[in-house]
Amino acid sequence: MMKNLSIEWLKLKSYRTFWWLMGLFILCLIGSNYITYQLKIATSSQSHGTLDILMGSPFEFPDVWQTVSYVSSYVLFLPGFLMVILITNEYNFRTHRQNIIDGMRRSAFALTKILVAVLLSVFAAVLVFAITVLTGLIAGSSFSLTGSVYLLYFFLQALTYTLGGLLLGTLLKKSGLSIALYLIYIGFIKNLLALLLDKYAGGIGSYTPVKSSDELIPMPFFKAVTHSLITPPDTTWLLILTLIYLAGFYWLTLYRYKTQDL
Amino acid sequence: MSENVLSIQQLSKSYGSLQALSAVSFDVPKGSIYGILGPNGSGKTTLLGILTNVLHADSGKFSLFDQGDAADNRKQIGTLLETPNFYPYLSAYKNLEISAAIKGVSTMQIDPVLDRVGLLARKNSKFSTFSLGMKQRLAIGAALLGDPQMLILDEPTNGLDPNGIAEIRNLIKGLAVEGRTVVMASHLLDEVEKVCTHVAIIKNGKLLTSGSVSQVLATGDVVALGAAALDKLMGILGLMPGFVSYEKADKQVLLRADLSVVSLADINQYCFDHGVVLDHLVLQKASLEARFLEITH
């Protein structure tokens, strides 16, 4: 597998779009957290601390784990988007068949792409860890691992976005269509589906693909208010379904690549 | 009996209602240049796609070398299937670096291979800046990486200029001299006739004939006969051993006969014995083109 990963690196290291998207991702992660942090400070000082009672201390340990994970999750469409591009590129260039012709196993090809998705997710989680620790310390609190389970949830969410993107690209093959459908699902269909299912199917909207991993990290602001207004979905079920969906993405990508005509 | 490096047994493949390949079987002897001929859309690329594992056969099987692992077998085959497939943003050298890594071949081989296909001077140029002919050359270069025992080439002279075509033809002949086996699909009969030792003709997914070029062409040979008494000549030919058919053409009779039964000398003797003195006796070798058109129509 290390050999196949080094082959993947040969493809990536000279691919400018890869570096641009990685740069943008890092910038957006830092930027979105920085802006939220500044907003919190601004609202706190404007309200002379009265809003703090409602908002809590989202940037201090232990809440900072949830806050940074939550804010960062909005940028996760970028690594997912990158995965869609990486797999549909192979179809566009027809290198997905050349790699096999040259002697790579079909399963190895698919597993290498899956591994890239996992590594991107690990990278995202490491960055979020660093931002969390830094923000928590800057906010004046002392380090604590309490609440760090949200980092694990963030990692699962990152896996959902990257493996989901990979599966979509594997199934559709065409880059334009895959990118469009990916963005539309993340930004629109996912929420519409959840809304409809919540309304007409007994509140199961939170348990749909991608949505269930999103819901693992609830909104950290105004906790006191939101808790009294809505019943949050069951975390255990969200976790189970997220894992089932992930296993499904993994298995379908592998199965599809092993059985399809290239 | 020569050793076969590839044995194809009853391969079939359909795309929906279209039968792309229908129970095709033939053997490829070691060291041969095996041409797979057929009109466009006859199933040539489908056949090669199955051999290289990019397509799954519906039924049938094939065996390569002495069996073994399929992926490892592919590493020993240099393949050019349909179009040259490379990463457009990478240079020629970096693209071959990827091919070499997959095949488990040293990167030391890249420069000599690029030199052999005339691209060494452009090794650092991006693939996307190459002309069609250069892309084709790079694909052939990639196929040569790792000193493969067998090459599968699908329309290898596509997009090449006359010089390029001649170079590739010589390259293929050179590979066979070195004892390598080449399986080559083409719709260019002239190209196949010039380099191939064996040929399989496919149409609508069905194998029409296969074997050595001389075998496939032999039944298409025609003997042109001329005599003062043409009518009498036509009268006696029907009873000649090995006779198949004849037709009258201008001042000649074109005879089809099984030349493994009856030689040209036998024909001359037979006519003389039956009172016809021939003033013209020529074996007209069938061209692959004529034979191909005859078989596929």
Side-chain angles (χ1 to χ4, degrees):
Chain A
M1 205 26 102
M2 274 318 284
K3 184 190 152 196
N4 289 328
L5 210 55
S6 72
I7 291 169
E8 196 66 25
W9 179 240
L10 288 176
K11 299 176 191 174
L12 287 180
K13 71 176 181 187
S14 305
Y15 187 44
R16 212 173 286 172
T17 309
F18 168 75
W19 293 111
W20 269 106
L21 281 176
M22 288 304 279
L24 268 177
F25 178 55
I26 296 168
L27 204 70
C28 288
L29 270 185
I30 297 170
S32 57
N33 281 292
Y34 178 76
I35 290 168
T36 323
Y37 183 71
Q38 290 302 327
L39 268 176
K40 157 75 175 62
I41 292 185
T43 47
S44 285
S45 67
Q46 271 176 15
S47 66
H48 303 292
T50 48
L51 259 180
D52 286 2
I53 302 160
L54 286 173
M55 279 184 74
S57 317
F59 287 102
E60 289 175 22
F61 284 108
D63 283 352
V64 68
W65 290 106
Q66 185 186 351
T67 308
V68 173
S69 296
Y70 177 81
V71 172
S72 304
S73 70
Y74 280 92
V75 197
L76 275 180
F77 74 93
L78 274 170
F81 181 70
L82 179 61
M83 281 315 296
V84 178
I85 291 178
L86 291 183
I87 187 67
T88 52
N89 266 354
E90 301 271 6
Y91 285 110
N92 280 345
F93 308 151
R94 297 171 74 81
T95 39
H96 72 296
R97 60 186 339 210
Q98 193 61 44
N99 284 182
I100 306 306
I101 288 170
D102 285 341
M104 193 183 275
R105 274 171 227 284
R106 282 166 175 253
S107 55
F109 183 93
L111 283 171
T112 309
K113 284 283 185 281
I114 289 170
L115 194 58
V116 171
V118 173
L119 288 177
L120 276 178
S121 305
V122 170
F123 176 73
V126 168
L127 272 179
V128 165
F129 173 80
I131 295 171
T132 303
V133 173
L134 210 66
T135 314
L137 294 179
I138 289 172
S141 57
S142 51
F143 181 78
S144 152
L145 277 174
T146 313
S148 60
V149 71
Y150 284 107
L151 185 65
L152 175 72
Y153 293 164
F154 174 81
F155 175 65
L156 292 177
Q157 200 181 355
L159 274 180
T160 303
Y161 279 73
T162 51
L163 287 177
L166 177 61
L167 174 64
L168 196 71
T170 305
L171 293 178
L172 297 180
K173 298 183 181 179
K174 303 216 173 349
S175 54
L177 185 66
S178 306
I179 290 168
L181 206 63
Y182 175 78
L183 294 178
I184 291 170
Y185 184 82
I186 300 287
F188 177 68
I189 299 176
K190 178 185 72 179
N191 294 319
L192 182 73
L193 197 69
L195 202 76
L196 290 175
L197 286 174
D198 272 344
K199 198 169 176 187
Y200 299 109
I204 58 162
S206 300
Y207 304 105
T208 51
V210 186
K211 188 75 180 170
S212 56
S213 73
D214 287 355
E215 300 265 324
L216 275 174
I217 311 171
M219 192 171 83
F221 313 109
F222 306 108
K223 268 185 187 175
V225 187
T226 50
H227 267 235
S228 61
L229 288 176
I230 10 171
T231 338
D234 187 85
T235 308
T236 314
W237 272 112
L238 286 176
L239 199 58
I240 290 170
L241 279 165
T242 299
L243 292 174
I244 289 175
Y245 289 134
L246 280 175
F249 291 174
Y250 168 88
W251 184 81
L252 268 174
T253 302
L254 202 58
Y255 176 79
R256 179 77 184 140
Y257 203 78
K258 276 164 97 169
T259 53
Q260 71 182 343
D261 280 340
L262 303 177
Chain B
M1 188 68 187
S2 56
E3 181 192 349
N4 292 325
V5 281
L6 169 63
S7 179
I8 296 168
Q9 288 140 33
Q10 300 288 315
L11 278 184
S12 293
K13 166 88 181 164
S14 59
Y15 300 106
S17 61
L18 178 78
Q19 189 73 32
L21 218 53
S22 178
V24 169
S25 306
F26 61 89
D27 294 325
V28 176
K30 189 176 191 309
S32 63
I33 305 183
Y34 212 112
I36 299 174
L37 270 177
N40 291 328
S42 55
K44 303 185 296 279
T45 300
T46 300
L47 175 62
L48 298 186
I50 292 171
L51 298 181
T52 49
N53 191 33
V54 298
L55 300 177
H56 290 297
D58 297 339
S59 62
K61 56 179 184 170
F62 66 90
S63 59
L64 269 165
F65 307 118
D66 42 2
Q67 293 290 354
D69 181 78
D72 287 341
N73 278 340
R74 289 201 299 282
K75 290 178 186 171
Q76 296 174 50
I77 303 174
T79 304
L80 162 60
L81 198 64
E82 284 185 294
T83 48
N85 307 321
F86 292 103
Y87 298 90
Y89 57 86
L90 293 180
S91 67
Y93 185 89
K94 284 184 174 170
N95 267 301
L96 291 197
E97 230 180 348
I98 291 175
S99 306
I102 295 174
K103 284 173 183 268
V105 169
S106 157
T107 48
M108 303 281 283
Q109 283 199 22
I110 297 176
D111 278 352
V113 154
L114 283 171
D115 193 27
R116 197 163 176 185
V117 294
L119 286 175
L120 192 57
R122 292 291 301 272
K123 72 181 222 177
N124 292 320
S125 301
K126 278 185 185 173
F127 177 71
S128 57
T129 66
F130 280 12
S131 70
L132 181 59
M134 290 163 79
K135 288 176 177 173
Q136 192 76 358
R137 282 165 190 267
L138 185 62
I140 292 166
L144 292 173
L145 272 177
D147 227 8
Q149 284 311 299
M150 181 174 168
L151 284 105
I152 293 179
L153 305 172
D154 189 8
E155 309 284 1
T157 56
N158 247 3
L160 296 181
D161 55 24
N163 282 337
I165 293 176
E167 280 171 32
I168 295 308
R169 196 179 288 146
N170 289 333
L171 181 75
I172 291 171
K173 281 182 177 169
L175 291 169
V177 170
E178 292 166 22
R180 291 169 223 274
T181 311
V182 181
V183 175
M184 185 172 106
S186 182
H187 61 268
L188 301 175
L189 300 157
D190 183 46
E191 180 179 293
V192 171
E193 196 166 15
K194 278 184 175 133
V195 297
C196 291
T197 58
H198 291 68
V199 63
I201 299 181
I202 298 181
K203 190 191 177 190
N204 294 336
K206 291 192 178 70
L207 181 72
L208 300 180
T209 182
S210 67
S212 71
V213 169
S214 56
Q215 267 172 4
V216 170
L217 291 183
T219 51
D221 290 348
V222 170
V223 184
L225 303 175
L230 267 190
D231 289 340
K232 191 175 178 192
L233 172 62
M234 287 187 284
I236 61 165
L237 281 177
L239 294 170
M240 189 185 75
F243 170 82
V244 177
S245 67
Y246 72 80
E247 61 184 287
K248 192 165 181 253
D250 203 14
K251 287 174 183 163
Q252 289 181 354
V253 172
L254 300 178
L255 167 74
R256 284 178 197 279
D258 185 351
L259 295 174
S260 61
V261 175
V262 58
S263 69
L264 291 184
D266 292 340
I267 295 171
N268 197 8
Q269 186 67 51
Y270 174 85
C271 293
F272 189 77
D273 291 348
H274 289 77
V276 177
V277 180
L278 297 175
D279 56 21
H280 186 81
L281 173 67
V282 174
L283 176 66
Q284 295 182 342
K285 286 294 253 184
S287 72
L288 193 54
E289 184 173 339
R291 183 75 181 126
F292 177 76
L293 291 173
E294 185 188 318
I295 292 174
T296 56
H297 275 84

